[in-house]
Amino acid sequence: MNTKDQIEALRDELRQHNYNYYVLDNATISDYEFDIKLKELQALEEAHPEFFDANSPTQRVGGAVTKNFATTVHDFRMYSLDNSYSKEDLLDWETRIKKMVDGDVQYTCELKYDGASMNLTYENGKLLRAVTRGDGVQGDEVTANVKTINTVPLQLKGDYPDRFDIRGEIILPIEGFLKMNEERIANEEEPYRNPRNTASGSLKLQDSAEVAKRPLEFLLYSIKGNDLNIQTQYEGLDKAREWGFKVPNEAKLVNSIDAVLDYVEYWDKHRHELPYEIDGVVVKVNNLHQQDELGFTAKAPRWAMAYKFKAEQVSTRLNEITYQVGRTGAITPVANLEPVQLAGTIVKRASLHNADQIEKLDIREGDEVFVEKGGEIIPKIIAVDLSKRPVDLRPTKYITTCPECDTELHRIEGEAKHYCPNYNGCPPQVIGRIQHYISRKAMDIEGLGGETVALLVKEGLINDYSDLYDLTVDQVIPLERMAEKSAENLISGVEASKKIPFERVLFALGIRYVGETVAKKLAKHYKSIDALMNASIEDLVSVDEIGERIAESVVEFFGSEENRRIVERLKTFGVQLEISAEKLANQTEKLKGLSIVVSGVFEKISRNELKKLIEDNGGKVSSSISSKTSYLVAGDKMGPSKRTKAENLNISIITEQAFLDILK
Ligand code: AMP
Ligand code: ZN
């Protein structure tokens, strides 16, 4: 087999495995084997850039960065849906329909997936573009991000039309959402409110590699195009399945509104058995000719109707309000409830957010409260049932001292939360900071977990994260459940963290409001911890996207003697506290302010190297051409549509060599 065939064969095989795993939910090889094959393909593609294919399975990992999403007009307008809330609403709808069409009417019942609607255009079996609904007429092109979603086929199977649009909902399954939130809570970041907002927010992330990390799915519900030779909605769903799309099997074809009502009732009861959230049911006239006869109102099709479920609410007793202390010392009040069944789970606790919230609700221990799960997974207390309040309940007094260390709490002007200021002596803060330091997105110390950190602190072996570098195997072996092998792993994991680049070390330090993105910005701007430590508030706020709140927090952090001492210690141990010389040498600002599109296959360097060069020299890589594009770097086999678009917009098209000359 020649290399090209070998690459194609691997791509086909990986596509099939991807389909088996994500669409059919029926994997036939292990994740490990899949990874090996993917790496094999990656290596072949790297070595043979001439066979590059934007729709290869290797492209799912993302990497393209989009600063501005191009506005794109839909070929077929994306309408909204009319809503109904009762049996009567549905019967009225049926009456209206029956007046307008002849013959019997069948209905396709589908679930109303709660996510972000998306239109995909396919041409010759390949994904051409993905555009958000926007205002229905035009939306934002988010192709680079959507490509990373595993249930979006990049290459179709079977007998598909030459060109068509396909619509569906991008959703975040509940399990994946909870996992993302677990991580955020561990990082002391505000958890995401609900899967829907998180899904739609993901689509607008600038870095598609970030999107690739999120377990999004595309669930499909409609096909649009000219001469598609499809007669009914239900048939369309079947066809889409054959071409490789994920169409939930819950869709059902029925012959009457009564049967529609049965479907609604069934799913209202059973919706919590689904792996994703739905907020209702969508009923569609099945026959597409009848749909044509019915047409559209200004806003929505007459042939479809959404039935919205009610938000679920129960009432239960508030037994106790307790208080948690986070890594940054922030206090969160928690409502401990009499366990109650709600929306498919048993609810025992709900967050009360802060003192203001408690005051607003006038909530007291012993109250009967209404708890709701609307779009949110985390239950919310809506109100107190005052009619049930016993006469002797006393108003809640918010705590004034830390429940963990008894220090008096502070409240910063203008902030909702109280803080425990005992930075160095409050156990959850001390432990939490070290746990954050070793976490996956920070120093990623293998062989060391959160519980071991707590144990090490309790045993007095460490007090801050710099102490980790002093630990010896002999010191940790005596710890509970610590074998010699795991002790060695721990020490070598700590050692390996000395190679973690500066931007992640900066994130790991746990400065309040300095998350991953801010850490990257600061590292890029200041290049070393010394420069950052000496920066003033005025200096910091002059950095792109750094506001006063962050600036003050950075200055406060480095204003502490103790923090400076810890940083100095990290330095002596060899932790990366500046951008590496190699990285620095390759960085300039030559392309500052320029937005550059790269297209085609290149001779001297690979596409990825080219993109890296652009970023290292201060430019922005953009995936699509717009009036804001500064250059199109054109390689061999560049798509003709890109060229035409660039020419129409008068954008300079330059060769690889010309680009390299600019950098010289
Ligand atoms: P609304 O946003 O309330 O106007 O509801 C309309 C939206 O419901 C559409 O834009 C779709 O994004 C979404 N939707 C979810 N599931 C379906 C489905 N099965 N059929 C049609 N639309 C759906
Ligand atoms: Zn405390």
Side-chain angles (χ1 to χ4, degrees):
M1 216 191 304
N2 66 30
T3 313
K4 182 158 193 283
D5 292 344
Q6 200 184 345
I7 289 179
E8 279 306 332
L10 264 173
R11 282 177 184 162
D12 283 345
E13 191 186 344
L14 286 167
R15 264 181 210 122
Q16 183 63 39
H17 286 309
N18 194 71
Y19 174 76
N20 292 347
Y21 186 90
Y22 289 105
V23 179
L24 301 182
D25 208 3
N26 183 18
T28 53
I29 62 169
S30 69
D31 292 357
Y32 178 72
E33 285 169 293
F34 185 90
D35 271 354
I36 298 274
K37 285 183 197 287
L38 189 69
K39 291 225 169 82
E40 192 182 337
L41 177 58
Q42 265 162 348
L44 280 169
E45 288 182 346
E46 285 268 311
H48 297 275
E50 67 273 25
F51 301 134
F52 174 82
D53 178 354
N55 288 323
S56 165
T58 52
Q59 299 302 303
R60 293 232 191 247
V61 293
V65 173
T66 320
K67 189 81 196 199
N68 296 300
F69 297 100
T71 306
T72 307
V73 177
H74 295 296
D75 287 351
F76 303 90
R77 186 175 154 186
M78 291 180 85
Y79 285 86
S80 176
L81 287 172
D82 282 333
N83 290 323
S84 60
Y85 300 91
S86 67
K87 180 175 174 173
E88 289 68 41
D89 289 350
L90 277 181
L91 289 173
D92 286 349
W93 177 60
E94 185 199 26
T95 312
R96 290 201 297 277
I97 289 174
K98 293 256 161 120
K99 276 192 200 142
M100 292 181 71
V101 297
D102 297 325
D104 292 338
V105 179
Q106 286 193 310
Y107 303 95
T108 303
C109 302
E110 293 166 34
L111 302 177
K112 190 167 187 298
Y113 320 114
D114 204 8
S117 46
M118 180 64 56
N119 185 78
L120 308 183
T121 304
Y122 281 84
E123 204 170 58
N124 302 321
K126 291 195 194 305
L127 176 65
L128 184 69
R129 63 177 198 209
V131 180
T132 62
R133 181 166 81 168
D135 63 3
V137 176
Q138 53 182 30
D140 294 324
E141 203 210 299
V142 291
T143 316
N145 286 344
V146 166
K147 258 192 190 176
T148 67
I149 301 172
N150 287 299
T151 41
V152 170
L154 301 179
Q155 168 68 56
L156 302 182
K157 313 188 295 174
D159 191 15
Y160 44 78
D162 291 344
R163 184 181 166 117
F164 63 96
D165 278 8
I166 192 153
R167 288 168 184 179
E169 204 79 356
I170 307 266
I171 56 110
L172 187 56
I174 295 167
E175 202 187 305
F177 171 77
L178 292 177
K179 219 181 253 163
M180 280 171 68
N181 261 353
E182 248 169 51
E183 215 166 281
R184 282 186 76 84
I185 289 164
N187 284 345
E188 294 242 330
E189 291 163 309
E190 191 67 26
Y192 294 116
R193 291 193 67 84
N194 59 49
R196 185 197 46 230
N197 290 355
T198 315
S200 58
S202 304
L203 299 172
K204 292 293 190 64
L205 292 176
Q206 293 182 352
D207 182 357
S208 60
E210 274 308 306
V211 186
K213 289 186 201 148
R214 302 190 173 184
L216 300 163
E217 291 193 20
F218 179 70
L219 305 180
L220 181 136
Y221 54 68
S222 144
I223 306 172
K224 292 267 177 270
N226 298 318
D227 308 320
L228 293 180
N229 196 23
I230 296 173
Q231 313 305 324
T232 69
Q233 165 68 12
Y234 201 73
E235 184 192 344
L237 297 181
D238 271 341
K239 287 249 164 93
R241 264 186 209 110
E242 282 168 25
W243 302 335
F245 292 96
K246 181 153 182 168
V247 183
N249 290 317
E250 285 77 16
K252 193 173 175 188
L253 185 60
V254 302
N255 293 317
S256 69
I257 284 289
D258 277 341
V260 170
L261 283 164
D262 289 343
Y263 184 88
V264 167
E265 204 173 303
Y266 180 87
W267 283 110
D268 196 2
K269 245 186 236 133
H270 292 267
R271 58 171 154 150
H272 304 295
E273 294 159 21
L274 294 164
Y276 44 80
E277 291 199 319
I278 59 172
D279 60 340
V281 158
V282 183
V283 194
K284 298 171 186 172
V285 169
N286 190 44
N287 186 309
L288 299 190
H289 297 293
Q290 288 180 334
Q291 284 193 6
D292 278 346
E293 279 172 56
L294 287 162
F296 297 83
T297 66
K299 252 190 62 210
R302 290 196 187 86
W303 44 262
M305 183 57 86
Y307 186 103
K308 288 265 181 100
F309 297 142
K310 288 184 198 58
E312 281 166 283
Q313 223 184 56
V314 287
S315 93
T316 188
R317 209 178 92 102
L318 169 69
N319 288 329
E320 194 191 2
I321 297 173
T322 53
Y323 300 84
Q324 284 178 345
V325 187
R327 142 172 86 81
T328 55
I331 309 289
T332 305
V334 178
N336 295 266
L337 306 165
E338 190 61 31
V340 61
Q341 180 85 24
L342 172 64
T345 52
I346 292 176
V347 175
K348 295 184 197 136
R349 288 148 64 87
S351 166
L352 285 167
H353 303 290
N354 52 50
D356 294 342
Q357 181 75 7
I358 291 178
E359 201 173 319
K360 204 171 106 205
L361 293 169
D362 180 25
I363 194 168
R364 308 177 184 188
E365 288 179 350
D367 263 333
E368 192 74 15
V369 295
F370 294 110
V371 185
E372 185 176 293
K373 252 187 188 175
E376 280 107 53
I377 296 231
I378 302 154
K380 225 173 31 193
I381 295 181
I382 303 298
V384 173
D385 187 348
L386 288 174
S387 71
K388 297 219 177 105
R389 174 174 283 175
V391 285
D392 57 344
L393 289 196
R394 274 176 305 159
T396 301
K397 273 218 196 79
Y398 204 78
I399 49 168
T400 53
T401 57
C402 177
E404 300 278 346
C405 73
D406 232 20
T407 307
E408 195 168 326
L409 299 181
H410 282 194
R411 194 178 197 179
I412 303 167
E413 184 97 36
E415 279 198 30
K417 291 221 170 211
H418 286 73
Y419 286 91
C420 166
N422 185 8
Y423 190 79
N424 296 313
C426 184
Q429 295 188 56
V430 171
I431 293 169
R433 273 197 301 272
I434 305 174
Q435 285 173 336
H436 169 72
Y437 185 84
I438 66 161
S439 65
R440 204 171 51 80
K441 287 188 170 167
M443 301 302 272
D444 193 19
I445 297 189
E446 266 179 61
L448 180 55
E451 278 174 38
T452 310
V453 168
L455 212 56
L456 287 166
V457 173
K458 230 169 70 197
E459 296 291 324
L461 288 170
I462 57 175
N463 226 330
D464 61 64
Y465 35 69
S466 71
D467 294 337
L468 290 169
Y469 298 91
D470 255 348
L471 284 176
T472 62
V473 173
D474 291 340
Q475 277 180 313
V476 294
I477 284 183
L479 290 184
E480 233 174 279
R481 277 180 315 205
M482 187 61 77
E484 188 169 336
K485 184 78 196 141
S486 35
E488 279 164 9
N489 284 345
L490 192 162
I491 302 300
S492 64
V494 169
E495 185 62 28
S497 76
K498 294 179 185 171
K499 295 218 172 65
I500 296 288
F502 176 47
E503 58 186 46
R504 276 174 59 188
V505 179
L506 196 50
F507 168 61
L509 294 182
I511 305 169
R512 191 179 296 166
Y513 308 131
V514 178
E516 270 178 288
T517 325
V518 172
K520 260 187 209 164
K521 293 235 157 72
L522 291 175
K524 197 163 177 186
H525 185 88
Y526 287 99
K527 302 190 171 60
S528 78
I529 198 95
D530 290 333
L532 180 64
M533 276 202 284
N534 293 323
S536 65
I537 292 193
E538 298 78 62
D539 191 30
L540 280 156
V541 292
S542 72
V543 181
D544 201 19
E545 283 177 55
I546 304 297
E548 212 150 286
R549 195 178 65 137
I550 299 171
E552 278 170 14
S553 169
V554 170
V555 168
E556 189 191 323
F557 184 90
F558 291 114
S560 138
E561 284 283 327
E562 177 67 3
N563 285 336
R564 281 178 176 260
R565 183 190 65 83
I566 294 172
V567 167
E568 286 310 318
R569 245 162 82 79
L570 290 177
K571 238 189 239 171
T572 59
F573 288 119
V575 173
Q576 304 290 313
L577 289 167
E578 54 187 34
I579 291 186
S580 69
E582 179 200 3
K583 203 164 176 185
L584 211 53
N586 292 327
Q587 283 189 346
T588 76
E589 298 275 275
K590 279 188 186 149
L591 304 177
K592 194 171 173 178
L594 300 184
S595 161
I596 300 175
V597 175
V598 174
S599 180
V601 178
F602 300 93
E603 263 170 37
K604 296 204 170 67
I605 55 174
S606 79
R607 262 166 87 92
N608 280 341
E609 281 166 341
L610 193 63
K611 289 181 180 172
K612 198 166 165 296
L613 269 182
I614 295 173
E615 280 173 356
D616 284 348
N617 289 288
K620 304 247 154 70
V621 180
S622 165
S623 62
S624 59
I625 295 172
S626 73
S627 57
K628 300 201 181 82
T629 306
S630 323
Y631 291 109
L632 167 63
V633 187
D636 202 18
K637 300 204 180 90
M638 181 178 76
S641 65
K642 273 223 169 97
R643 180 175 290 277
T644 318
K645 196 159 179 194
E647 281 168 358
N648 287 343
L649 291 170
N650 252 335
I651 283 153
S652 338
I653 305 178
I654 58 172
T655 62
E656 176 184 8
Q657 190 53 53
F659 171 78
L660 294 173
D661 288 344
I662 296 177
L663 290 183
K664 263 195 200 133

